[in-house]
């Protein structure tokens, strides 16, 4: 997987076509990250969630110490971006992680 | 239920708060945390976290590109030793970082390639850090993917 992905739509597509996953974290909640548009276009099929704690805390904790309990804030933002429920985000990203890491 | 696929929960910033932040994670419905390795200074702390409850913490093994210095061969030997002796969930985190420092750019490439080769050898996923180097990381892994 490409952890803490923050690249362009073109790079996201290249990564997916190579068989890799995109790690999406707190950057998605930052204003003007542009990541929301990229994910909207590439979809959730190769997306997994990550905090990158203690770094890159999501809004409203931006700049503070990050921790795993903030994962739902990232999932919530992703559910708004994709127009699906947070339960669907949990199911899809958890299944993706299980598949990628053989969990 | 959520999986946090990337958290350095063994970092010293969590030391004073060890049981509480995991309890908060469990309350947030996080069942599993995958821990990316950094370098030999923190491997032991990471492995100790595997005994944690109530959230399952699972280790990767690897060398972070920001920890690639003069002694990177020694760091890779330590990883090699771990890989021969136990299972890990992934190789990582590895990759390239041209944001902070490019002094060891060539060594970062060498360490990354060695870790890609181990991921193939041990049939493990690889976790890539690509700060200011997304294109370069894509180009490098593409060489291996296209090779089959």
């Amino acid at each position: 997987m490409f952890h803490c992905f923050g690249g362009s739509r073109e790079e996201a597509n290249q990564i997916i076509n190579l068989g890799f996953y995109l790690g999406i974290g707190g950057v998605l909640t930052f204003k003007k990250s542009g990541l929301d548009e990229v994910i909207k276009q590439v979809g959730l099929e190769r997306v997994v969630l990550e905090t990158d704690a203690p770094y890159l805390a999501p809004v409203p904790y931006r700049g503070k110490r990050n921790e795993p309990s903030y994962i739902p804030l990232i999932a919530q933002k992703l559910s708004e971006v994709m127009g699906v429920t947070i339960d669907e985000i949990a199911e899809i990203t958890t299944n993706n992680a299980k598949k990628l890491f053989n969990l | 239920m959520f999986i946090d696929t990337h958290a350095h929960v063994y970092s010293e910033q969590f030391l004073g708060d060890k049981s509480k932040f995991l309890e908060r994670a469990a309350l947030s419905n996080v069942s599993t945390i995958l821990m990316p390795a950094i370098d030999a200074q923190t491997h032991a702390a990471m492995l100790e976290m595997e005994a944690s409850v109530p959230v399952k913490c699972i280790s990767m093994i690897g060398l972070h590109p920001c920890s690639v210095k003069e002694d990177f061969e020694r760091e890779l030997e330590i990883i090699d030793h771990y890989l021969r002796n136990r299972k890990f969930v992934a190789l990582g985190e590895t990759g390239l970082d041209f944001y902070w420092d490019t002094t060891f750019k060539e060594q970062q490439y060498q360490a990354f390639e060695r870790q890609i080769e181990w991921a193939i050898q041990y049939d493990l996923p690889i976790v890539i850090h690509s700060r200011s180097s997304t294109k370069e990381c894509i180009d490098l892994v593409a060489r291996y993917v296209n090779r089959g």
Side-chain angles (χ1 to χ4, degrees):
Chain A
M1 71 179 266
F2 275 66
H3 124 74
C4 200
F5 177 76
S8 65
R9 178 187 178 183
E10 190 194 357
E11 287 167 336
N13 280 322
Q14 286 176 333
I15 287 165
I16 290 168
N17 289 336
L18 286 167
F20 284 81
Y21 285 73
L22 305 171
I24 300 301
V27 174
L28 181 69
T29 69
F30 299 174
K31 270 185 189 162
K32 296 178 189 167
S33 76
L35 195 53
D36 48 351
E37 287 305 317
V38 173
I39 298 304
K40 219 183 270 181
Q41 285 161 353
V42 300
L44 295 171
E45 203 179 323
R46 294 291 186 82
V47 167
V48 293
L49 298 181
E50 61 165 82
T51 56
D52 198 19
Y55 314 108
L56 289 171
V59 172
Y61 301 106
R62 188 172 182 180
K64 306 245 168 58
R65 186 196 72 174
N66 195 3
E67 62 173 62
S69 69
Y70 299 161
I71 277 281
L73 295 169
I74 300 161
Q76 178 61 38
K77 177 69 184 183
L78 195 53
S79 85
E80 288 162 17
V81 169
M82 299 306 290
V84 301
T85 66
I86 192 165
D87 288 345
E88 285 173 275
I89 295 294
E91 190 184 344
I92 293 166
T93 58
T94 297
N95 285 337
N96 286 349
K98 284 182 178 172
K99 195 171 160 189
L100 170 60
F101 292 103
N102 285 311
L103 299 172
Chain B
M1 183 185 87
F2 294 106
I3 297 175
D4 185 348
T5 63
H6 198 106
H8 303 276
V9 287
Y10 53 85
S11 113
E12 55 187 23
Q13 295 180 60
F14 286 106
L15 275 181
D17 188 23
K18 202 167 173 179
S19 55
K20 286 192 180 145
F21 81 84
L22 284 175
E23 279 166 26
R24 286 195 294 272
L27 288 172
S28 293
N29 222 5
V30 174
S31 69
T32 309
I33 295 168
L34 304 185
M35 301 183 289
I38 298 279
D39 58 33
Q41 281 194 342
T42 52
H43 291 335
M46 175 182 71
L47 296 173
E48 273 176 32
M49 281 297 295
E50 291 189 322
S52 300
V53 287
V55 178
K56 196 190 282 182
C57 297
I58 309 175
S59 298
M60 308 177 194
I61 192 71
L63 178 61
H64 193 292
C66 292
S67 290
V68 173
K69 312 282 183 205
E70 293 91 344
D71 66 344
F72 80 103
E73 286 287 357
R74 174 74 192 128
E75 288 277 357
L76 292 176
E77 279 170 25
I78 292 165
I79 295 168
D80 187 28
H81 185 75
Y82 275 118
L83 284 168
R84 288 170 191 273
N85 285 286
R86 56 155 286 174
K87 284 192 170 179
F88 290 92
V89 73
L91 250 295
E93 63 184 284
T94 178
L96 304 169
D97 189 310
F98 299 155
Y99 179 81
W100 292 109
D101 188 5
T102 52
T103 312
F104 295 100
K105 194 171 180 174
E106 186 49 42
Q107 290 85 345
Q108 284 190 34
Y109 268 104
Q110 289 174 34
F112 188 13
E113 288 186 57
R114 188 88 55 86
Q115 291 176 85
I116 294 171
E117 283 159 15
W118 277 326
I120 294 167
Q121 182 187 338
Y122 289 94
D123 196 23
L124 289 172
I126 189 161
V127 173
I128 298 166
H129 170 109
S130 56
R131 189 152 191 204
S132 302
S133 63
T134 306
K135 185 189 178 302
E136 288 84 352
C137 286
I138 291 171
D139 288 348
L140 185 61
V141 295
R143 294 210 325 249
Y144 286 87
V145 171
N146 295 334
R147 205 193 284 173

